[in-house]
Amino acid sequence: MTPLTWFRPLAVCIATTALSLIAVPALVAQVNAELRCRVEDSPNAPAEKDGSVQESVQGIYALLETWRSALRKGDIEAVANLVTEDAEFWSHGAAALTGRRALADAFRPFLTGYELLQDFDCHELIVRGDLAFMRGLERNRLEPRSAGETLEVQQRAFSVMRRGVDGRWRFARGMTNEAMTQ
C-alpha cells in the first residue's frame, strides 16, 4: 500500500492541527479575525488552574504551529511528541489509530515521502479548563519530496486537545470524514 493510498485514513491525525484558542471576551475579537472561528464561552467554564488565559492561548497556538511545521518537515518524533500517550484518532473507513507510537509508525513512511501543507477553517472552538474541542474543515496538500503526483484532500474534522500536568497542550482525540462535494 502506498502512502497516497492510506493518506485519507490517516488524515484524522493531521486534522488535529486545527486552530484553537480559549474563549475570553477580551481575546475573542482579535483571535477570531485571524482564525475565522466561532468561539463559544460559558459562565460554567472552570477557571484556569495554572497561569493566565493569555498563556493558555499562546500555548495552544504554539502547539498548532509546531504541529504544522513538524508535518511539513517530516519530523516524525516531533509529531509524535505533540499527541498524548493515549491518543486515539478515527478516520472514515479506517481502523482507529491508538497511541503515540502507533501514530509515529503509521506516519513514518508517509512523511518520509511527502511534504504536507495544511490549512484549516475552524467553525467552532470550545475550551474548558484543560480540554479544548474544535470542529471545522481541513484542506491538506501532499507534495512528493521527490517525483510523483500531488494530492489534495478536504475533509470535516473534530479534535480534542488536552493540557498535561507539564502545562503543555497536546492532541488527544480526533475524528474526520470526507467533506461533501459542492
Side-chain angles (χ1 to χ4, degrees):
M1 185 180 299
T2 69
L4 284 178
T5 304
W6 52 266
F7 169 72
R8 194 175 296 272
L10 289 179
V12 66
C13 301
I14 300 159
T16 57
T17 64
L19 299 172
S20 303
L21 59 105
I22 292 184
V24 175
L27 299 173
V28 169
Q30 171 190 350
V31 181
N32 268 356
E34 290 177 31
L35 305 182
R36 305 176 311 258
C37 188
R38 180 173 71 83
V39 178
E40 181 179 317
D41 195 7
S42 166
N44 300 324
E48 290 291 303
K49 71 175 192 177
D50 293 313
S52 72
V53 170
Q54 181 65 32
E55 290 170 351
S56 293
V57 170
Q58 291 170 348
I60 292 170
Y61 194 74
L63 167 64
L64 300 168
E65 289 304 311
T66 303
W67 174 267
R68 185 180 311 204
S69 175
L71 286 173
R72 176 175 276 165
K73 292 176 186 174
D75 187 342
I76 306 300
E77 291 310 309
V79 169
N81 286 326
L82 297 174
V83 303
T84 62
E85 285 287 345
D86 68 339
E88 186 163 342
F89 302 101
W90 296 357
S91 189
H92 181 79
L97 197 77
T98 305
R100 185 180 284 170
R101 286 297 99 203
L103 177 117
D105 292 345
F107 267 56
R108 188 167 279 105
F110 167 70
L111 291 178
T112 299
Y114 297 88
E115 178 180 2
L116 174 63
L117 309 169
Q118 186 177 71
D119 185 33
F120 189 84
D121 288 329
C122 180
H123 295 176
E124 180 178 39
L125 173 77
I126 302 168
V127 177
R128 299 290 185 265
D130 291 336
L131 292 174
F133 307 88
M134 181 274 319
R135 70 179 179 88
L137 185 66
E138 73 171 32
R139 286 178 301 282
N140 299 291
R141 180 179 172 92
L142 285 117
E143 296 181 356
R145 295 194 185 275
S146 57
E149 178 185 345
T150 296
L151 176 67
E152 294 188 23
V153 176
Q154 180 173 292
Q155 56 195 8
R156 292 177 287 196
F158 180 83
S159 303
V160 178
M161 294 171 286
R162 184 172 40 202
R163 181 172 37 200
V165 294
D166 63 358
R168 292 181 55 203
W169 288 91
R170 291 180 178 85
F171 299 108
R173 303 289 185 269
M175 182 175 10
T176 61
N177 67 357
E178 295 182 41
M180 294 180 61
T181 57
Q182 301 274 341

